[in-house]
Amino acid sequence: MSWLLPGLVIWIGAFALNIRLTRLPRSPLTRLAVPVIFGVTIIAVWECLVRGLEIPAVLLPAPSVIAATFASSIPILWVDFVQTAIKGALTGYLIGCGSAFLVAILVDRYRFLQLGLLPIGNFMAALPIIGTAPILVMWFGFDWQSKAAVVVVMVFFPMLVNTVQGLQDTTQMQRDLMRTYAAGYWSTLLKLRLPGAMPFIFNGLKISTTLSLIGAIVAEFFGSPIMGMGFRISTSVGQLALDLVWAEIVVAALAGSAFYGGVALLERAVTFWHPSQRR
Amino acid sequence: MMTRLVPVLTFVIVIIAVWYAAAVQLNANWAYDKAKRAGVELNFTDLVADTWSQEKPRLPAPHQVGAEIWQTTVEKKVTSKRSLIFHSWITMSATVLGFILGTALGCALAIGIVYSRVMDMSVMPWVIASQTIPILAIAPMIIVVLNAVGITGLLPKAMISMYLSFFPVVVGMVKGLRSPDAMQLDQMRTWNASRAQEFWHLRLPSSMPYFFTSMKIAMAASLVGAIVGELPTGAVAGLGARLLAGSYYGQTIQIWSALLMAAALAAILVGLIGALQRLTLKRMGLS
């Protein structure tokens, strides 16, 4: 009981603080402070609940335990991170997005491809592509190559659909202007349409970051060498070592956010002219 | 209609042709192995015939998968454990339950975010941040933990589906509920509309296009959640279990048929929402 009371106090206190903060005029500081207070409160209340109600560690470990496990097993986590995120997800991401980009330019060039391939692409984007994981694991072996292959298939269609949509985003007026400058197909593509497509392309790239990590992790459930985030999660769940599972999830969250954040920063640099990026 | 159909059909035919060719290519090794042991020389027609009819091929030919689907859907009784309809039904019920729960939760949260500044400033950044996290990784843990508490069967899978499907709905609905512009909101105020009236007569109707689009994404995500949720339960039932069992025993035809069933299920479920969308938006005069 002695832990439940502080938990309640922290919760009410933080909530009151947040209400006061939102009444203040909006500033960068309150914008940052409010969500941070919210997040910290959740972790504090979680800690107090686990200790107060004496929830067994095999059900839900306390944040402090997770942090301790994280700190003590950094070598394992690093090996898993390199295996899954760098070798599996990043390789697949680069190959998948790169090839989807090239195919999208082809699709945009030829109307027949557009009419034939786009409906199929749209359809495929909604399918549970993750189901191809066992087949690709069978074809490419247990190591990271098969994970990269799953990621390629997963990111290809969202990226293709977004890029094609982006390439069609220029108006007739803009294209006519390029024609009056006597610009050919390639200079129109490079100077007008590709820059104009950038917001859509980055939308596809951002969706693909999460998909690539998910693909690499889930593909490891179907077979992997004795390292990797998906492997560690599924075996540790079997051993009821939930603190290690949560530590692995923290790694996944950090990797996912960093990956997404990196692409978002790149987007800000490339599409500085777009209304959504202006401040 | 014809100008649209011809290119699509061409590509479907091309895909099937490539599939058959790839089947020859990928299964050739095993065919040559068998021929060598039997001491026969393979000519091309024999090779093709063999690669298209192996029992555990690396890539089954389309007609093999088709035959397997036909056998396991039409010729088996629906209650049989080998019937794909039975497995699809299990996956679909988890998907739909999770989708309904997720959509309801997402709408509730979106209304909270639109009407409360505290919610908006504290919850919304986390909703967006959580999209960047590979949530699916925690699916096995949720299953095992809920099993340990004594919750088994449909609900744990539905929880994962709910978790995956609620984010697109929150993001889409917040956008939708905020889509009326200041002029329309002012108009409501000049009519002395209450907040409830403003919600029912302006915000909710104008959010409908966003609602349906995010529901389609949510349904696709929900199906993925249900399939992945079936993996760690030890391959008992459902399409995900069929995939896992198939990959354990090298039953490629079974994997492919489960995969195609999952694709069909996704197409049907998303198609249903699409039909609902057209019907609703037409009656509302929005499309």
Side-chain angles (χ1 to χ4, degrees):
Chain A
M1 265 334 260
S2 57
W3 280 98
L4 286 182
L5 201 63
L8 198 67
V9 171
I10 292 173
W11 186 33
I12 294 173
F15 205 69
L17 184 64
N18 260 358
I19 290 179
R20 300 263 327 242
L21 278 177
T22 48
R23 296 249 169 85
L24 294 175
R26 267 182 199 232
S27 69
L29 192 68
T30 54
R31 254 188 203 189
L32 189 69
V34 172
V36 167
I37 291 172
F38 183 77
V40 171
T41 313
I42 285 188
I43 291 178
V45 170
W46 173 0
E47 179 86 39
C48 292
L49 275 182
V50 169
R51 287 176 181 241
L53 299 176
E54 287 169 2
I55 298 172
V58 291
L59 289 186
L60 186 67
S64 57
V65 178
I66 296 168
T69 312
F70 186 91
S72 66
S73 48
I74 281 179
I76 297 181
L77 296 176
W78 175 252
V79 169
D80 292 347
F81 170 76
V82 170
Q83 170 75 12
T84 305
I86 307 282
K87 287 188 188 165
L90 194 61
T91 318
Y93 180 81
L94 292 178
I95 298 175
C97 290
S99 54
F101 179 77
L102 294 179
V103 172
I105 288 178
L106 273 183
V107 165
D108 178 69
R109 183 91 167 93
Y110 299 103
R111 185 152 175 76
F112 186 75
L113 286 179
Q114 217 174 85
L115 287 172
L117 213 54
L118 263 201
I120 296 177
N122 271 321
F123 176 70
M124 294 289 275
L127 293 187
I129 300 240
I130 197 76
T132 55
I135 296 161
L136 292 170
V137 168
M138 205 174 284
W139 286 357
F140 293 96
F142 281 167
D143 210 352
W144 61 269
Q145 288 89 345
S146 62
K147 280 73 200 173
V150 174
V151 175
V152 168
V153 181
M154 272 186 86
V155 301
F156 185 82
F157 293 103
M159 186 65 196
L160 176 73
V161 172
N162 269 296
T163 310
V164 171
Q165 207 182 352
L167 285 172
Q168 292 165 348
D169 193 48
T170 46
T171 59
Q172 191 63 48
M173 188 103 71
Q174 290 166 325
R175 268 170 290 177
D176 282 352
L177 182 63
M178 289 307 276
R179 275 188 74 97
T180 60
Y181 292 154
Y185 169 75
W186 286 106
S187 51
T188 314
L189 183 71
L190 289 176
K191 298 205 170 112
L192 170 68
R193 306 181 57 210
L194 270 183
M198 278 303 156
F200 290 84
I201 291 175
F202 272 101
N203 189 26
L205 285 175
K206 284 198 283 191
I207 296 172
S208 299
T209 55
T210 323
L211 282 180
S212 68
L213 270 178
I214 288 181
I217 291 176
V218 173
E220 286 180 358
F221 296 163
F222 287 98
S224 68
I226 50 165
M227 55 190 171
M229 288 152 78
F231 167 80
R232 196 76 59 200
I233 288 173
S234 56
T235 48
S236 302
V237 162
Q239 297 162 350
L240 291 178
L242 283 201
D243 45 348
L244 190 57
V245 176
W246 277 99
E248 207 62 76
I249 288 167
V250 172
V251 173
L254 288 178
S257 313
F259 198 0
Y260 186 91
V263 174
L265 275 183
L266 199 64
E267 178 184 25
R268 179 158 289 175
V270 174
T271 65
F272 57 92
W273 47 270
H274 195 260
S276 68
Q277 298 293 339
R278 283 187 210 141
R279 272 174 294 172
Chain B
M1 192 64 204
M2 275 313 277
T3 51
R4 288 176 167 277
L5 211 57
V6 169
V8 174
L9 278 181
T10 318
F11 271 97
V12 170
I13 291 167
V14 166
I15 287 173
I16 290 177
V18 169
W19 187 344
Y20 269 112
V24 173
Q25 173 72 32
L26 281 168
N27 302 333
N29 268 342
W30 175 237
Y32 281 128
D33 260 18
K34 257 194 316 188
K36 209 175 184 184
R37 258 176 281 159
V40 259
E41 201 64 30
L42 273 184
N43 62 24
F44 186 70
T45 39
D46 287 341
L47 175 70
V48 169
D50 188 88
T51 49
W52 287 354
S53 59
Q54 285 172 3
E55 205 173 304
K56 287 184 178 182
R58 273 164 74 86
L59 175 64
H63 67 262
Q64 286 178 296
V65 180
E68 167 83 5
I69 290 180
W70 176 261
Q71 271 175 23
T72 47
T73 52
V74 181
E75 291 179 0
K76 288 270 182 320
K77 261 191 280 172
V78 180
T79 50
S80 158
K81 280 226 159 174
R82 298 185 61 184
S83 162
L84 260 187
I85 305 242
F86 167 77
H87 291 288
S88 305
W89 172 254
I90 287 177
T91 304
M92 194 186 84
S93 44
T95 306
V96 171
L97 181 63
F99 167 76
I100 291 171
L101 290 175
T103 309
L105 186 66
C107 288
L109 208 57
I111 292 168
I113 285 172
V114 168
Y115 276 98
S116 150
R117 242 178 99 107
V118 187
M119 285 273 281
D120 179 21
M121 285 182 75
S122 46
V123 179
M124 199 56 189
W126 288 102
V127 169
I128 293 170
S130 65
Q131 300 243 38
T132 67
I133 297 168
I135 298 157
L136 217 53
I138 64 171
M141 193 182 60
I142 295 180
I143 298 274
V144 169
V145 166
L146 287 181
N147 266 334
V149 189
I151 304 171
T152 51
L154 197 62
L155 209 56
K157 284 187 274 174
M159 296 283 278
I160 293 169
S161 295
M162 178 187 93
Y163 205 53
L164 281 180
S165 59
F166 111 92
F167 292 115
V169 175
V170 173
V171 174
M173 276 307 271
V174 166
K175 224 178 195 172
L177 289 174
R178 286 202 176 131
S179 62
D181 55 30
M183 196 144 20
Q184 290 169 315
L185 288 169
D186 281 350
Q187 176 79 83
M188 289 306 273
R189 220 157 292 147
T190 58
W191 283 333
N192 193 22
S194 68
R195 296 190 91 175
Q197 281 171 326
E198 180 200 274
F199 176 76
W200 290 112
H201 294 289
L202 176 61
R203 284 191 191 265
L204 191 65
S206 45
S207 73
M208 277 303 123
Y210 297 86
F211 182 54
F212 282 107
T213 311
S214 45
M215 274 215 294
K216 279 187 199 165
I217 302 171
M219 186 57 103
S222 178
L223 181 59
V224 171
I227 289 177
V228 174
E230 280 159 358
L231 296 180
T233 51
V236 186
L239 291 175
R242 291 288 280 187
L243 285 176
L244 195 66
S247 90
Y248 277 167
Y249 301 115
Q251 298 281 3
T252 37
I253 302 182
Q254 184 186 324
I255 298 180
W256 278 93
S257 58
L259 196 59
L260 285 189
M261 274 310 266
L265 197 58
I268 291 170
L269 290 174
V270 175
L272 270 180
I273 296 176
L276 206 63
Q277 174 181 25
R278 273 193 295 280
L279 208 72
T280 317
L281 294 189
K282 206 167 197 175
R283 297 224 28 195
M284 287 172 65
L286 281 175
S287 69

